[in-house]
Amino acid sequence: MPLHPTRVRLASAALLTVAGLVAAGTASAAPAPVAPAPVAAAAAPDIPVANVTAHLAQFQSIATANGGNRAHGRPGYKASLDYVKAKLDAAGFTTSVRQFTSGGRTGYNLIADWPGGDENQVVMAGAHLDSVTAGPGINDNGSGSAAILENALAVSRAQLKPAKHLRFAWWGAEELGMVGSRNYVNSLATGDRSKIDAYLNFDMIGSPNPGYFVYDDDPALEKIFQEYYTGLGIPTEIETEGDGRSDHAPFKSAGIPVGGLFSGADYTKTAAQAQKWGGTAGKRFDPCYHSSCDTTSNVNPTALDRNADAIAYALWGLAAQ
Ligand code: TRP
Ligand code: CA
Ligand code: ZN
């Protein structure tokens, strides 16, 4: 007896759904789709944390060779920018360096566009690349800078063909009051602001006594990161340590949806937080915050790895639809 046509259609639809899930990395084995499937979203890659820590070692060397910091207006900042830019150029990004002046010194933002995708729907990830003058700024914010760099390089390795346009940014002079990111947002025409679907910010994501904080500014973006951490079985908390104290603030003020991750700075880990995340209660998330000891020893590689992978999960998911 021939199959009922409705049942055939249902069966095909189910197979297509399964194929979609496989592509999203949530199932391990399934039959091939019986009909040409719509182009399925590629699964987000596992970002190799060794590559991220290799970038951090480079930032450390740059600071050491330049008076111990990578601060705005100092040679260590420009050297950091040159390092990141060279990697992106070699990987096929379209990069641009945007100059501004702050405190009588020249500052620079680095913008890197991945060719392709709908430029009316831009998904952006950013991190500040400057340190304070007191130290090399490896957790604050080599961590975010290195993680988005490695994510950009992963986009290139995958030769990703996202539906939306992907843009990465490394900001100058965040430590002077989000000067670079504000300059960038102010430079956008009103029409260009509305083309940015999402801005994701990563400022301190490898704290040595880490917490797992998610920005709650936009519910949809918050949900993506929560989903990722739920998948790892790790509870998150809402980021509250100085809301608006990083480069997402100018974007949010301009009406752009923002999200991000944070592993903690000056605040002290509570007993309840140590219970769920490990680490040391009664100790700051980052005891070397804004200090000379914010070196490569001041990073928790597990937190850095999880956050780098969470960024990939968010970017691949957001850019695909
Ligand atoms: N670079 C930020 C600063 O110096 C670090 C920071 C503190 C932060 N609190 C934050 C980053 C909350 C994101 C969210 O202020
Ligand atoms: Ca990883
Ligand atoms: Zn800082």
Side-chain angles (χ1 to χ4, degrees):
M1 184 185 124
L3 280 170
H4 192 280
T6 305
R7 202 165 296 160
V8 172
R9 271 204 303 277
L10 283 174
S12 319
L15 282 173
L16 289 176
T17 305
V18 171
L21 286 173
V22 170
T26 51
S28 53
V34 294
V39 179
D46 178 353
I47 301 297
V49 71
N51 294 6
V52 183
T53 53
H55 301 315
L56 293 181
Q58 292 299 314
F59 292 145
Q60 179 69 62
S61 301
I62 286 167
T64 302
N66 289 282
N69 69 68
R70 304 181 302 103
H72 167 71
R74 311 293 180 101
Y77 181 76
K78 186 56 165 47
S80 300
L81 186 137
D82 291 343
Y83 170 77
V84 174
K85 183 177 182 294
K87 296 277 182 199
L88 294 164
D89 286 338
F93 281 82
T94 304
T95 58
S96 78
V97 177
R98 319 271 179 99
Q99 282 194 26
F100 58 88
T101 304
S102 182
R105 294 174 190 254
T106 302
Y108 310 88
N109 293 326
L110 172 63
I111 308 295
D113 284 274
W114 181 241
D118 181 359
E119 302 220 10
N120 292 314
Q121 296 182 286
V122 180
V123 173
M124 225 179 143
H128 77 84
L129 185 57
D130 63 315
S131 72
V132 291
T133 53
I138 299 304
N139 184 39
D140 181 14
N141 184 33
S143 61
S145 294
I148 68 165
L149 171 58
E150 195 53 32
N151 265 272
L153 299 179
V155 165
S156 169
R157 285 193 292 268
Q159 285 296 298
L160 198 66
K161 305 270 181 287
K164 294 185 181 176
H165 182 74
L166 277 172
R167 180 177 299 152
F168 295 84
W170 288 262
W171 308 119
E174 185 274 348
E175 299 290 6
L176 278 63
M178 303 161 266
V179 176
S181 53
R182 180 171 294 124
N183 186 280
Y184 175 81
V185 172
N186 287 342
S187 78
L188 293 173
T190 313
D192 288 336
R193 292 180 189 186
S194 59
K195 292 177 184 167
I196 303 177
D197 272 15
Y199 172 74
L200 304 178
N201 193 60
F202 304 101
D203 183 358
M204 305 183 72
I205 57 168
S207 304
N209 187 28
Y212 293 91
F213 299 101
V214 177
Y215 297 10
D216 69 340
D217 305 85
D218 179 87
L221 298 175
E222 179 184 13
K223 184 163 164 270
I224 294 173
F225 290 119
Q226 283 174 343
E227 242 169 49
Y228 184 78
Y229 273 101
T230 300
L232 295 184
I234 297 167
T236 59
E237 288 185 17
I238 292 167
E239 186 284 302
T240 56
E241 186 177 352
D243 248 351
R245 265 173 71 186
S246 190
D247 298 296
H248 55 297
F251 285 85
K252 188 178 181 179
S253 300
I256 296 164
V258 303
L261 297 170
F262 178 57
S263 57
D266 236 358
Y267 285 19
T268 299
K269 187 179 273 188
T270 65
Q273 289 171 329
Q275 190 84 42
K276 60 181 165 188
W277 292 328
T280 312
K283 198 173 161 188
R284 283 177 291 166
F285 295 104
D286 182 355
C288 290
Y289 177 58
H290 285 186
S291 306
S292 60
C293 60
D294 186 8
T295 65
T296 46
S297 313
N298 191 46
V299 167
N300 180 296
T302 304
L304 185 66
D305 190 14
R306 289 169 175 164
N307 285 326
D309 292 343
I311 295 170
Y313 178 79
L315 290 180
W316 261 251
L318 284 169
Q321 317 130 29

